[in-house]
Structures are given as C-alpha cells and as structure tokens.
Amino acid sequence: MRVDVLTIFPDYFAPLELSLIGKARTTGLLDVGVHDLRTWTHDVHRTVDDTPYGGGPGMVMRPEPWGAAFDALTPVPPDDLDLAPVLVVPTPAGQRFDQAMAHSFAGEQRLIFACGRYEGIDQRVLEEAATRMRVREVSLGDYVLFGGEVAVLVMLEAVVRLLPGVIGNADSLTEESHANGLLEAPLYTKPAVWRGREVPEVLRSGDHGKIAKWRRAQSLLRTAAQRPDMLASAAPETLDKHDVAT
Ligand SMILES: N#Cc1c(-c2ccc3ccn(Cc4ccccn4)c3c2)n[nH]c1N
C-alpha cells in the first residue's frame, strides 16, 4: 500500500517511523510519503490560509496550495474513478470512522490523507479533488480537534494493522473488539493469583470448548454493559441462537 499525507505539520508524522508501522515500511508492506503543504505556496510568507467569505471566526485553508499538491501527487487523471486513489479528508463533519471503514481502506492500493487546520479547507478543494480521486470525508468522533493530523495517525494505525503480514498472528484480528461486532472478552495472564484475585478457573482448565463458550458469554455481557448500541445493530448471525439459550 502507498500512503501520502499532506500537512502543514509534517513532524506530527515522525511516529510513523516507529513500531509496527515502521516495520511495515522497512519490510515493504507500506510505502509512506509525508508532504509539507507549504511546498506548494509561492509567497514569501508561504501562506496557506485566509479569512472566510461570509464572515465567521478563524481562518480557512486556501484552495491553491491543495490544488497544486494534488496535481503533483496525482498528475495523471484516472481513466476509471473506481481505480483512482482514495482521498481521506478528516473533518468533524465527516462519516464516522469505524472498523468496517478501516477494512475498506486496507483494501486500497493507495490512500492520500489531507490534513486540514484552522477552521477547515475551502470546499472547492474537495469538489475539484472528486474529479480525480474518490473523496471520503471522515470523522473520528463527536468532538473537535485542532486539525486532521491526529485523526490520520489513528486511521493509519487502524488500517495498517489489517494489512496481511503486519501482525504476526492474524488470529488477533478475529478475536479483538469490533472484529465480530462485539467487544472482546476480558484478558488474563500470569500470575494465576495476583493481590488475592484469581484468574477465572475455566481459563486454566485446558477445555477449549468451555473456554470459547465462556469468552463468548463474557463478550456479550461486556458489550451489553459498555456498548448496548452495538448489540442493537449486531447482524443476526453475530448473535448465535445458543447465546440466548445458555
Ligand atoms: N477527523 C476528525 C476530527 C476533527 C478535525 C479534523 C480536521 C480538522 C481541520 C481543522 N479542524 C479544526 C476545526 C475546528 C472547528 C471546526 C472545524 N474544524 C479539524 C478538526 N475534529 N474532530 C474530529 N473527529
């Protein structure tokens, strides 16, 4: 996968050299380019913002640098938009990012992330970008950040860990929260007793059938307690008929 990130704060992405994302880059599973948007400014102050038409607080990111940056990153218009890169634009006004969207992005050949700042990006940038890329306006959640950089770090981590070969044991991806529409069961490791608290006996029984059943029940209980909304929207096949009976 090729990822390009456009930002006025390229240093925000130093963490992409670390941990499993850094390893994915050195092993060739992931190729990342971080680009300073000011590269595509030409005034002495390298200006990327201006006051909003119609008034209102703060500043808006000017379209020209974005247009020039997209020209540089996507010089050849696609024959088929379905084969064009996905442009991910973090914004409080976007569709909520979730595991399903992470899986969708993980299946792409190329992602381009546009990190806005100030009050956001001139809307014409997204309109023009949609003529050559598949534009996705995405929000992390119902709160407001200073800009898109943190959101890109979160989305990148969620996407890259789904790429084949990045995580050693692919089973981790099927057992974790949100993988099957439920929250994962509680986890335990040594010692068997810690400050008087014992690991549930079933987990030390060696009976894999009983362990799987216990984990399933715990997963349902935890989801009901922490995220009843997930149970309400869980696909029917997620809630096996035995879950209710037992
Ligand atoms: N994803 C995501 C986000 C963001 C986000 C993303 C990009 C930008 C670019 C500028 N701002 C600041 C800002 C302030 C006021 C009104 C609009 N925008 C951003 C915020 N906030 N919360 C999320 N879940």
Side-chain angles (χ1 to χ4, degrees):
M1 173 182 282
R2 168 73 188 188
V3 170
D4 288 285
V5 183
L6 284 160
T7 173
I8 60 173
F9 293 117
D11 291 350
Y12 246 98
F13 295 94
L16 296 183
E17 304 286 342
L18 306 172
S19 184
L20 286 177
I21 291 185
K23 184 181 171 196
R25 295 176 73 177
T26 51
T27 55
L29 289 171
L30 178 69
D31 184 22
V32 178
V34 179
H35 312 275
D36 186 341
L37 183 68
R38 295 187 197 275
T39 303
W40 291 280
T41 62
H42 306 294
D43 63 301
V44 66
H45 299 297
R46 314 196 74 191
T47 309
V48 292
D49 64 310
D50 207 329
T51 53
Y53 275 116
M59 303 292 275
V60 175
M61 299 193 90
R62 297 172 56 222
E64 299 96 327
W66 287 104
F70 292 154
D71 290 345
L73 291 180
T74 61
V76 180
D79 296 328
D80 178 354
L81 207 50
D82 288 341
L83 302 178
V86 173
L87 175 67
V88 182
V89 185
T91 167
Q95 288 185 328
R96 176 70 70 88
F97 182 71
D98 60 11
Q99 193 69 0
M101 196 182 288
H103 274 287
S104 168
F105 289 168
E108 296 292 342
Q109 291 294 316
R110 185 181 185 196
L111 301 175
I112 299 176
F113 290 92
C115 298
R117 278 275 155 170
Y118 308 101
E119 298 298 312
I121 302 171
D122 185 302
Q123 189 62 29
R124 292 168 293 178
V125 171
L126 281 69
E127 291 167 4
E128 196 272 345
T131 66
R132 50 182 148 164
M133 291 177 274
R134 288 173 282 153
V135 178
R136 301 288 181 269
E137 295 179 73
V138 182
S139 169
L140 281 195
D142 296 341
Y143 42 82
V144 182
L145 302 169
F146 277 123
E149 285 80 5
V150 166
V152 170
L153 284 170
V154 168
M155 288 190 267
L156 258 180
E157 183 154 317
V159 169
V160 171
R161 64 193 299 278
L162 297 175
L163 298 179
V166 171
I167 282 189
N169 178 0
D171 288 349
S172 306
L173 297 177
T174 56
E175 301 296 323
E176 62 192 8
S177 291
H178 305 288
N180 62 358
L182 300 175
L183 301 182
E184 68 191 41
L187 299 171
Y188 299 86
T189 187
K190 301 180 187 65
V193 182
W194 177 70
R195 294 188 180 183
R197 298 175 186 277
E198 288 191 36
V199 170
E201 177 57 37
V202 64
L203 295 180
R204 298 168 60 212
S205 69
D207 182 332
H208 297 293
K210 279 179 68 177
I211 291 170
K213 198 171 178 181
W214 181 86
R215 282 178 168 159
R216 175 71 177 179
Q218 290 294 315
S219 175
L220 285 163
L221 286 170
R222 203 178 204 190
T223 306
Q226 306 278 35
R227 290 290 305 275
D229 59 295
M230 287 176 67
L231 273 188
S233 57
E237 62 273 12
T238 300
L239 300 176
D240 185 287
K241 61 181 180 302
H242 296 297
D243 291 323
V244 180
T246 51

